[in-house]
Amino acid sequence: MTTEAQVIKTQLPSPPPSVPALLASVHAALEELKAKDAVEIDVRGKSSVADYMVVVSGTSTRHVKSIGDEVVRFAKNLGIMPLGVEGEREAEWVLVDLGDVIVHVMLPRVRELYALERLWTVGDQPPSAYDDEDEQFDR
């Protein structure tokens, strides 16, 4: 039994919207549905997959799904078809891949568990004064 693979055709508008315009559209969608605690992470130089990740919380699975749907709707208004949308069924963590921008919409407990902000910003902060004190004692 052989099944034919399903091909998803994505097409960017010509010319594609700029990354700042795409980010502005994402933030407008998040604001529209009152998403909580949005964090924008610049991952240029850390990942070849995207330039930015946006991590945001929803208050319930219904809210998480609705936020993801709104991000897709706003992107389509720019002429962008998402490359992928994952997690809509369970709606504890919905990922919307818009190419240069990836949006993670999560329940607060899931967001805390996976800690994407910490994962993608390790090494971005200068050493704290506390770290300097530790170095003095190591000598």
Side-chain angles (χ1 to χ4, degrees):
M1 180 192 305
T2 307
T3 59
E4 201 170 307
Q6 182 179 3
V7 177
I8 300 172
K9 295 181 181 177
T10 58
Q11 188 175 23
L12 290 175
S14 182
S18 66
V19 173
L22 186 54
L23 280 170
S25 178
V26 165
H27 285 292
L30 299 177
E31 205 171 290
E32 183 77 19
L33 285 186
K34 298 179 179 18
K36 306 287 184 192
D37 306 318
V39 175
E40 183 179 299
I41 305 167
D42 184 344
V43 294
R44 292 175 293 183
K46 295 179 184 178
S47 172
S48 60
V49 174
D51 290 342
Y52 289 90
M53 288 191 188
V54 178
V55 182
V56 64
S57 295
T59 57
S60 66
T61 55
R62 182 174 288 174
H63 192 215
V64 167
K65 182 177 181 341
S66 295
I67 293 167
D69 290 344
E70 194 74 354
V71 168
V72 169
R73 191 173 71 79
F74 272 62
K76 285 181 179 178
N77 288 341
L78 279 180
I80 299 278
M81 285 299 296
L83 299 176
V85 179
E86 297 291 331
E88 288 183 298
R89 180 176 293 171
E90 295 81 16
E92 292 186 350
W93 178 353
V94 173
L95 181 142
V96 181
D97 185 348
L98 300 173
D100 291 327
V101 177
I102 297 175
V103 182
H104 298 272
V105 186
M106 308 165 105
L107 288 174
R109 65 178 169 75
V110 175
R111 185 173 178 175
E112 186 178 327
L113 177 67
Y114 289 99
L116 293 181
E117 294 97 326
R118 278 200 318 262
L119 176 70
W120 284 100
T121 58
V122 167
D124 288 352
Q125 296 83 16
S128 69
Y130 183 75
D131 291 338
D132 292 339
E133 290 174 11
D134 286 344
E135 285 179 15
Q136 289 175 358
F137 292 117
D138 290 339
R139 292 181 192 169

